[in-house]
Amino acid sequence: MLSNSAFNALLKTIEEPPPYVIFIFATTELQKVPATIKSRCQQFNFRLVPIEKVKEQLAQAAKEIGIQADDEALYWIARESTGSMRDSYTLFDQVAAFSDGNITYEKIRDKLGLVGIDRLNELFGICVSGSSQQALEKLDEYIQNGVSIEQLITNCADYLRNLLLIKSGVTKESLLGQAPDRFSREVLEAWSSVQIERAIDIFLKLYRDIRYSLSPRYEFELAVSRLCWLKEYASPAEVKKAIDTVRPLLVQGQAMQTTQSVPRPVQQNPAIPQFSALAGGANPFPDGGAEPPQTTADNASPDEWEGTAAYDDSPVEEAPSQPAKPVTIEELKDALFQKLNENETMLASLIQHTQNWSDQGNMISCTINKRFEHIQIKQHASEIAEQISRLIGRQVGFSITLVESQVRNEAKKLPVQVEILRDTFKGTLIRSI
């Protein structure tokens, strides 16, 4: 609390002290002391007294004055003193005044309105079972016994902190304040470390909120009710892991749905050539399905993509070095799906949703009625154009147009991927788009 002028006056005194005087300065705010003062002093930094040392000194004091004291009670006093021997002796003197020569934790708990480890095990055991009714009734019992809400919140937060330490492998009794085996094994096994961290966050936030709350008791009851469904809590990391797990199922389900819902027309007219293989001679149906007739095809380009052009019925020898090309625009769409399905399953399934394919000479165009799918396909337009050029044997471009359609009112069957997501995360479908 010294001003700069007072420090300057002090400096003159300590520069020329009497030979029989030793000055000892103590402060908790060393940063406020001027450098001119600190440079003329020997500096010693005092640390907090360990809990074990405080307990040892309290046990010695109890022995000197003829008072019996349980280890659990001394541990509680030492921990509440937060490393200060002065505070520990003050608290010890207060406890000894009403203990009648025998200090026990039960007396401290009853006189000071504390909640012991046994009661906390009982309360949190009920929360683990998910019975909110019993948990709220037990909370009411503690409050009716005179326990303050602030103290109960503090005890609950300390209990959860100890659970987290035990979960992390810490069993040091001086840190826990109790023997590790006194904590409920049921609670330790029911809640994960992430869930315990969530519970601690609930109580820390609760302690901050009750200062401005309409009713601290209501806030506490809400927190206890949330603990009853804590086992259902999933962290963002766990949600991401679950999504990564079901992602292959979603991709597979979407591919299965598009394959089953969009039939492949099989050309029955043998006069119209059908493609029998993709570029490079690969099977156009690697995943099964109805194959078109294996017929020959010439190298001439069709007059129209709709399959209405006339062709020579005379037999044409198949050129083994050049595989047949798609003739109709629908065949081109199916061939593109099969080619993309080898490495780009998601993109192939999106292609199956496109409509109104047309050939405009140097440009292949189509439409789609969903904005998200339009964006995804448009990002791969160059790759699709390259695949189409290989399939038809000439260089073309590719364009896709968004044509949003009105939502139909009739009931529709849920897509496979939606059902997978709903079942995985135990959700409920609110609206189908």
Side-chain angles (χ1 to χ4, degrees):
M1 302 299 293
L2 297 181
S3 64
N4 291 332
S5 299
F7 270 121
N8 291 333
L10 177 63
L11 177 61
K12 182 62 177 178
T13 303
I14 64 176
E15 280 182 341
E16 300 176 359
Y20 52 86
V21 174
I22 297 178
F23 290 100
I24 299 178
F25 305 109
T27 180
T28 57
E29 296 180 336
L30 186 62
Q31 71 278 3
K32 292 185 178 181
V33 179
T36 53
I37 301 293
K38 290 189 291 186
S39 63
R40 290 166 171 81
C41 299
Q42 294 183 5
Q43 184 174 325
F44 301 93
N45 295 323
F46 292 94
R47 297 176 296 175
L48 297 178
V49 183
I51 294 180
E52 295 90 344
K53 187 64 176 179
V54 174
K55 175 182 174 295
E56 179 182 343
Q57 295 298 320
L58 293 177
Q60 182 177 354
K63 183 179 179 181
E64 290 177 355
I65 61 178
I67 296 179
Q68 295 182 356
D70 295 343
D71 286 344
E72 185 177 0
L74 295 180
Y75 260 121
W76 181 85
I77 297 174
R79 187 179 57 189
E80 290 298 316
S81 65
T82 62
S84 171
M85 284 302 307
R86 179 190 60 189
D87 294 345
S88 66
Y89 281 130
T90 301
L91 185 57
F92 176 81
D93 186 51
Q94 295 175 0
V95 171
F98 59 75
S99 297
D100 297 330
N102 185 13
I103 301 177
T104 63
Y105 185 76
E106 288 74 15
K107 292 181 180 180
I108 296 176
R109 181 190 64 192
D110 296 337
K111 295 294 184 179
L112 299 181
L114 307 179
V115 180
I117 183 67
D118 297 331
R119 292 182 179 179
L120 291 174
N121 284 334
E122 185 179 8
L123 175 62
F124 284 96
I126 296 174
C127 293
V128 165
S129 66
S131 178
S132 58
Q133 177 184 354
Q134 295 183 18
L136 294 176
E137 291 176 351
K138 183 60 65 175
L139 176 62
D140 178 70
E141 177 184 335
Y142 294 161
I143 296 177
Q144 293 298 329
N145 290 336
V147 180
S148 67
I149 292 180
E150 292 81 0
Q151 184 63 50
L152 186 54
I153 294 174
T154 302
N155 294 147
C156 290
D158 185 66
Y159 178 87
L160 292 169
R161 172 254 189 188
N162 292 336
L163 291 183
L164 184 61
L165 291 177
I166 296 176
K167 274 282 189 179
S168 303
V170 177
T171 58
K172 192 175 180 180
E173 189 172 350
S174 59
L175 288 177
L176 302 177
Q178 307 281 346
D181 55 2
R182 295 202 58 185
F183 292 88
S184 173
R185 303 304 306 177
E186 178 186 4
V187 179
L188 285 169
E189 295 173 359
W191 287 345
S192 64
S193 298
V194 175
Q195 291 169 340
I196 295 177
E197 289 178 2
R198 172 66 175 172
I200 296 176
D201 183 69
I202 289 175
F203 278 95
L204 294 179
K205 185 176 183 299
L206 173 62
Y207 190 81
R208 294 191 296 265
D209 292 345
I210 60 174
R211 300 180 182 180
Y212 310 101
S213 174
L214 176 65
S215 174
R217 176 165 181 166
Y218 296 166
E219 298 276 358
F220 201 172
E221 290 173 345
L222 179 60
V224 172
S225 179
R226 289 173 178 172
L227 292 181
C228 293
W229 53 263
L230 188 62
K231 289 194 296 185
E232 302 297 329
Y233 171 76
S235 65
E238 292 171 330
V239 173
K240 180 182 180 300
K241 183 178 180 181
I243 293 177
D244 292 340
T245 303
V246 302
R247 181 177 297 172
L249 298 178
L250 295 177
V251 174
Q252 182 180 3
Q254 188 174 14
M256 291 174 59
Q257 181 194 17
T258 55
T259 304
Q260 295 174 1
S261 61
V262 182
R264 298 190 185 93
V266 179
Q267 181 61 258
Q268 300 296 333
N269 187 357
I272 300 178
Q274 306 290 323
F275 69 94
S276 59
L278 299 176
N283 185 359
F285 298 95
D287 296 332
E291 294 189 19
Q294 301 292 332
T295 58
T296 59
D298 56 5
N299 296 328
S301 301
D303 295 335
E304 296 181 3
W305 280 107
E306 300 300 331
T308 58
Y311 296 89
D312 187 4
D313 293 340
S314 59
V316 180
E317 295 182 359
E318 180 180 1
S321 59
Q322 297 181 356
K325 302 174 183 178
V327 176
T328 67
I329 196 68
E330 291 297 332
E331 291 177 2
L332 175 63
K333 178 180 177 181
D334 287 344
L336 179 63
F337 168 77
Q338 295 298 332
K339 187 63 177 177
L340 294 176
N341 198 38
E342 296 177 1
N343 298 314
E344 300 287 345
T345 307
M346 287 293 296
L347 184 58
S349 63
L350 294 176
I351 289 295
Q352 286 288 49
H353 293 169
T354 57
Q355 302 171 354
N356 303 324
W357 281 62
S358 63
D359 179 22
Q360 302 171 359
N362 60 349
M363 180 67 67
I364 304 296
S365 62
C366 61
T367 63
I368 197 166
N369 55 11
K370 292 185 178 180
R371 185 175 300 273
F372 173 77
E373 296 177 350
H374 172 259
I375 296 174
Q376 296 298 317
I377 295 178
K378 192 172 182 180
Q379 292 177 350
H380 298 83
S382 59
E383 178 182 351
I384 296 175
E386 182 181 353
Q387 294 294 342
I388 294 177
S389 300
R390 293 179 181 176
L391 290 173
I392 64 178
R394 57 188 174 90
Q395 191 69 29
V396 295
F398 174 78
S399 66
I400 183 169
T401 305
L402 174 64
V403 180
E404 296 184 352
S405 59
Q406 298 294 331
V407 180
R408 297 183 178 180
N409 294 327
E410 61 268 17
K412 296 186 296 183
K413 183 180 179 181
L414 291 178
V416 178
Q417 62 270 27
V418 175
E419 294 181 351
I420 294 175
L421 280 175
R422 181 195 61 190
D423 298 337
T424 301
F425 298 104
K426 302 178 182 179
T428 302
L429 182 65
I430 300 177
R431 182 166 60 96
S432 179
I433 300 178

